[in-house]
Short mmCIF file of all heavy atoms in Angstrom, two decimals:
data_model
loop_
_atom_site.label_atom_id
_atom_site.label_comp_id
_atom_site.label_asym_id
_atom_site.label_seq_id
_atom_site.Cartn_x
_atom_site.Cartn_y
_atom_site.Cartn_z
N SER Q 6 -8.37 -5.59 2.45
CA SER Q 6 -8.73 -4.17 2.53
C SER Q 6 -8.26 -3.37 1.32
O SER Q 6 -8.33 -2.14 1.32
CB SER Q 6 -8.14 -3.56 3.80
OG SER Q 6 -6.72 -3.64 3.80
N GLY Q 7 -7.77 -4.05 0.29
CA GLY Q 7 -7.25 -3.38 -0.90
C GLY Q 7 -5.73 -3.37 -0.88
O GLY Q 7 -5.12 -3.21 0.18
N ARG Q 8 -5.13 -3.53 -2.06
CA ARG Q 8 -3.68 -3.69 -2.13
C ARG Q 8 -2.92 -2.53 -1.49
O ARG Q 8 -1.97 -2.74 -0.74
CB ARG Q 8 -3.27 -3.85 -3.61
CG ARG Q 8 -1.78 -4.10 -3.83
CD ARG Q 8 -1.36 -5.42 -3.20
NE ARG Q 8 0.04 -5.72 -3.48
CZ ARG Q 8 0.69 -6.73 -2.92
NH1 ARG Q 8 0.08 -7.52 -2.05
NH2 ARG Q 8 1.96 -6.95 -3.21
N ALA Q 9 -3.34 -1.31 -1.79
CA ALA Q 9 -2.63 -0.15 -1.26
C ALA Q 9 -2.68 -0.12 0.26
O ALA Q 9 -1.67 0.13 0.93
CB ALA Q 9 -3.23 1.13 -1.83
N ASN Q 10 -3.84 -0.43 0.82
CA ASN Q 10 -3.99 -0.43 2.28
C ASN Q 10 -3.24 -1.58 2.91
O ASN Q 10 -2.65 -1.44 3.98
CB ASN Q 10 -5.48 -0.49 2.65
CG ASN Q 10 -5.71 -0.15 4.11
OD1 ASN Q 10 -5.13 0.79 4.64
ND2 ASN Q 10 -6.57 -0.93 4.76
N GLU Q 11 -3.23 -2.74 2.25
CA GLU Q 11 -2.49 -3.89 2.75
C GLU Q 11 -1.00 -3.56 2.88
O GLU Q 11 -0.37 -3.85 3.89
CB GLU Q 11 -2.68 -5.09 1.83
CG GLU Q 11 -4.06 -5.72 1.88
CD GLU Q 11 -4.25 -6.82 0.87
OE1 GLU Q 11 -3.43 -6.91 -0.08
OE2 GLU Q 11 -5.21 -7.59 0.99
N LEU Q 12 -0.46 -2.95 1.83
CA LEU Q 12 0.96 -2.60 1.83
C LEU Q 12 1.28 -1.52 2.85
O LEU Q 12 2.34 -1.54 3.49
CB LEU Q 12 1.39 -2.15 0.44
CG LEU Q 12 1.38 -3.24 -0.65
CD1 LEU Q 12 1.69 -2.64 -2.01
CD2 LEU Q 12 2.36 -4.35 -0.32
N ALA Q 13 0.35 -0.60 3.03
CA ALA Q 13 0.58 0.49 3.99
C ALA Q 13 0.57 -0.03 5.42
O ALA Q 13 1.34 0.43 6.28
CB ALA Q 13 -0.49 1.57 3.82
N ARG Q 14 -0.27 -1.01 5.71
CA ARG Q 14 -0.43 -1.50 7.07
C ARG Q 14 0.52 -2.65 7.41
O ARG Q 14 0.89 -2.82 8.57
CB ARG Q 14 -1.89 -1.94 7.29
CG ARG Q 14 -2.89 -0.80 7.18
CD ARG Q 14 -4.32 -1.30 7.21
NE ARG Q 14 -4.67 -1.91 8.48
CZ ARG Q 14 -5.86 -2.46 8.71
NH1 ARG Q 14 -6.79 -2.49 7.77
NH2 ARG Q 14 -6.11 -2.98 9.90
N ALA Q 15 0.87 -3.45 6.42
CA ALA Q 15 1.72 -4.63 6.69
C ALA Q 15 2.50 -4.99 5.44
O ALA Q 15 2.49 -6.14 4.99
CB ALA Q 15 0.88 -5.80 7.17
N GLY Q 16 3.21 -4.00 4.89
CA GLY Q 16 3.87 -4.18 3.60
C GLY Q 16 4.82 -5.35 3.53
O GLY Q 16 4.81 -6.12 2.56
N LYS Q 17 5.66 -5.54 4.54
CA LYS Q 17 6.65 -6.62 4.52
C LYS Q 17 5.98 -7.99 4.42
O LYS Q 17 6.43 -8.87 3.67
CB LYS Q 17 7.52 -6.56 5.78
CG LYS Q 17 8.66 -7.58 5.79
CD LYS Q 17 9.45 -7.51 7.08
CE LYS Q 17 10.16 -6.19 7.23
NZ LYS Q 17 11.02 -6.17 8.44
N LEU Q 18 4.88 -8.15 5.14
CA LEU Q 18 4.19 -9.44 5.15
C LEU Q 18 3.53 -9.72 3.80
O LEU Q 18 3.46 -10.86 3.35
CB LEU Q 18 3.15 -9.47 6.27
CG LEU Q 18 3.70 -9.37 7.69
CD1 LEU Q 18 2.56 -9.25 8.70
CD2 LEU Q 18 4.56 -10.59 8.02
N PHE Q 19 3.01 -8.67 3.15
CA PHE Q 19 2.35 -8.87 1.86
C PHE Q 19 3.35 -8.97 0.72
O PHE Q 19 3.12 -9.69 -0.25
CB PHE Q 19 1.35 -7.73 1.61
CG PHE Q 19 0.08 -7.89 2.40
CD1 PHE Q 19 -0.08 -7.25 3.62
CD2 PHE Q 19 -0.95 -8.69 1.93
CE1 PHE Q 19 -1.24 -7.41 4.35
CE2 PHE Q 19 -2.11 -8.86 2.65
CZ PHE Q 19 -2.27 -8.21 3.87
N ASN Q 20 4.46 -8.27 0.83
CA ASN Q 20 5.48 -8.32 -0.23
C ASN Q 20 6.08 -9.72 -0.36
O ASN Q 20 6.41 -10.17 -1.45
CB ASN Q 20 6.59 -7.30 0.04
CG ASN Q 20 6.20 -5.90 -0.40
OD1 ASN Q 20 5.38 -5.76 -1.32
ND2 ASN Q 20 6.74 -4.89 0.23
N LYS Q 21 6.25 -10.41 0.75
CA LYS Q 21 6.80 -11.76 0.72
C LYS Q 21 5.85 -12.75 0.05
O LYS Q 21 6.26 -13.75 -0.50
CB LYS Q 21 7.12 -12.23 2.15
CG LYS Q 21 8.29 -11.48 2.79
CD LYS Q 21 9.60 -11.76 2.08
CE LYS Q 21 10.76 -11.11 2.80
NZ LYS Q 21 12.05 -11.34 2.12
N SER Q 22 4.56 -12.48 0.15
CA SER Q 22 3.47 -13.20 -0.54
C SER Q 22 3.19 -14.62 -0.03
O SER Q 22 2.26 -15.27 -0.50
CB SER Q 22 3.70 -13.25 -2.05
OG SER Q 22 4.64 -14.25 -2.42
N TYR Q 23 3.95 -15.12 0.95
CA TYR Q 23 3.69 -16.47 1.45
C TYR Q 23 2.35 -16.53 2.19
O TYR Q 23 1.53 -17.43 1.95
CB TYR Q 23 4.82 -16.92 2.39
CG TYR Q 23 6.17 -16.96 1.73
CD1 TYR Q 23 7.18 -16.09 2.10
CD2 TYR Q 23 6.43 -17.86 0.69
CE1 TYR Q 23 8.43 -16.11 1.49
CE2 TYR Q 23 7.66 -17.90 0.06
CZ TYR Q 23 8.66 -17.01 0.47
OH TYR Q 23 9.88 -17.04 -0.15
N LEU Q 24 2.12 -15.59 3.09
CA LEU Q 24 0.86 -15.57 3.82
C LEU Q 24 -0.31 -15.31 2.88
O LEU Q 24 -1.40 -15.88 3.05
CB LEU Q 24 0.89 -14.52 4.93
CG LEU Q 24 1.91 -14.73 6.05
CD1 LEU Q 24 1.74 -13.66 7.13
CD2 LEU Q 24 1.80 -16.11 6.67
N SER Q 25 -0.09 -14.45 1.88
CA SER Q 25 -1.15 -14.17 0.91
C SER Q 25 -1.54 -15.42 0.14
O SER Q 25 -2.71 -15.64 -0.16
CB SER Q 25 -0.71 -13.07 -0.06
OG SER Q 25 -0.48 -11.85 0.61
N ALA Q 26 -0.54 -16.24 -0.20
CA ALA Q 26 -0.82 -17.49 -0.91
C ALA Q 26 -1.69 -18.42 -0.07
O ALA Q 26 -2.62 -19.05 -0.58
CB ALA Q 26 0.49 -18.18 -1.29
N ILE Q 27 -1.38 -18.48 1.21
CA ILE Q 27 -2.18 -19.32 2.11
C ILE Q 27 -3.59 -18.76 2.24
O ILE Q 27 -4.59 -19.49 2.13
CB ILE Q 27 -1.51 -19.42 3.50
CG1 ILE Q 27 -0.12 -20.05 3.37
CG2 ILE Q 27 -2.38 -20.23 4.46
CD1 ILE Q 27 0.72 -19.95 4.64
N ALA Q 28 -3.69 -17.44 2.45
CA ALA Q 28 -5.00 -16.81 2.63
C ALA Q 28 -5.87 -16.93 1.39
O ALA Q 28 -7.10 -17.04 1.48
CB ALA Q 28 -4.82 -15.35 3.01
N SER Q 29 -5.25 -16.93 0.21
CA SER Q 29 -6.01 -16.98 -1.04
C SER Q 29 -6.76 -18.30 -1.20
O SER Q 29 -7.74 -18.39 -1.95
CB SER Q 29 -5.09 -16.77 -2.25
OG SER Q 29 -4.22 -17.89 -2.43
N LYS Q 30 -6.30 -19.34 -0.51
CA LYS Q 30 -6.95 -20.65 -0.60
C LYS Q 30 -7.77 -20.99 0.65
O LYS Q 30 -8.18 -22.14 0.84
CB LYS Q 30 -5.90 -21.74 -0.83
CG LYS Q 30 -5.20 -21.62 -2.18
CD LYS Q 30 -4.26 -22.79 -2.43
CE LYS Q 30 -3.59 -22.69 -3.80
NZ LYS Q 30 -2.69 -23.84 -4.06
N PHE Q 31 -8.00 -19.97 1.48
CA PHE Q 31 -8.75 -20.20 2.72
C PHE Q 31 -10.09 -20.86 2.44
O PHE Q 31 -10.83 -20.46 1.55
CB PHE Q 31 -8.98 -18.88 3.46
CG PHE Q 31 -9.84 -19.04 4.69
CD1 PHE Q 31 -9.29 -19.54 5.87
CD2 PHE Q 31 -11.18 -18.72 4.66
CE1 PHE Q 31 -10.08 -19.71 6.99
CE2 PHE Q 31 -11.98 -18.88 5.79
CZ PHE Q 31 -11.41 -19.38 6.96
N ASP Q 32 -10.39 -21.88 3.23
CA ASP Q 32 -11.63 -22.63 3.09
C ASP Q 32 -12.20 -22.87 4.48
O ASP Q 32 -11.61 -23.61 5.27
CB ASP Q 32 -11.35 -23.96 2.38
CG ASP Q 32 -12.61 -24.82 2.21
OD1 ASP Q 32 -13.70 -24.40 2.64
OD2 ASP Q 32 -12.49 -25.92 1.63
N LEU Q 33 -13.32 -22.24 4.77
CA LEU Q 33 -13.93 -22.37 6.10
C LEU Q 33 -14.18 -23.82 6.47
O LEU Q 33 -14.03 -24.22 7.63
CB LEU Q 33 -15.26 -21.60 6.14
CG LEU Q 33 -16.05 -21.67 7.45
CD1 LEU Q 33 -15.29 -20.99 8.58
CD2 LEU Q 33 -17.43 -21.05 7.29
N GLY Q 34 -14.52 -24.63 5.47
CA GLY Q 34 -14.82 -26.04 5.74
C GLY Q 34 -13.64 -26.84 6.23
O GLY Q 34 -13.80 -27.95 6.75
N ARG Q 35 -12.42 -26.30 6.08
CA ARG Q 35 -11.23 -27.03 6.51
C ARG Q 35 -10.65 -26.48 7.80
O ARG Q 35 -9.56 -26.88 8.22
CB ARG Q 35 -10.16 -26.99 5.41
CG ARG Q 35 -10.57 -27.69 4.13
CD ARG Q 35 -9.42 -27.72 3.15
NE ARG Q 35 -8.35 -28.61 3.60
CZ ARG Q 35 -7.16 -28.69 3.03
NH1 ARG Q 35 -6.88 -27.92 1.99
NH2 ARG Q 35 -6.24 -29.51 3.49
N THR Q 36 -11.33 -25.56 8.44
CA THR Q 36 -10.81 -25.00 9.69
C THR Q 36 -11.08 -25.95 10.83
O THR Q 36 -12.17 -26.46 10.98
CB THR Q 36 -11.46 -23.64 10.00
OG1 THR Q 36 -12.89 -23.76 9.95
CG2 THR Q 36 -11.01 -22.60 8.99
N ASP Q 37 -10.05 -26.20 11.67
CA ASP Q 37 -10.20 -27.18 12.74
C ASP Q 37 -10.56 -26.56 14.08
O ASP Q 37 -10.56 -27.24 15.09
CB ASP Q 37 -8.94 -28.04 12.88
CG ASP Q 37 -7.76 -27.27 13.45
OD1 ASP Q 37 -7.86 -26.03 13.59
OD2 ASP Q 37 -6.75 -27.91 13.76
#
């Protein structure tokens, strides 16, 4: 939803960047 909105809605989760790293490589073909 855009960096500013991401930080406003869930800043702690985005600042840590672990979930963002996982989401950045999301591939529908690998979903079980």
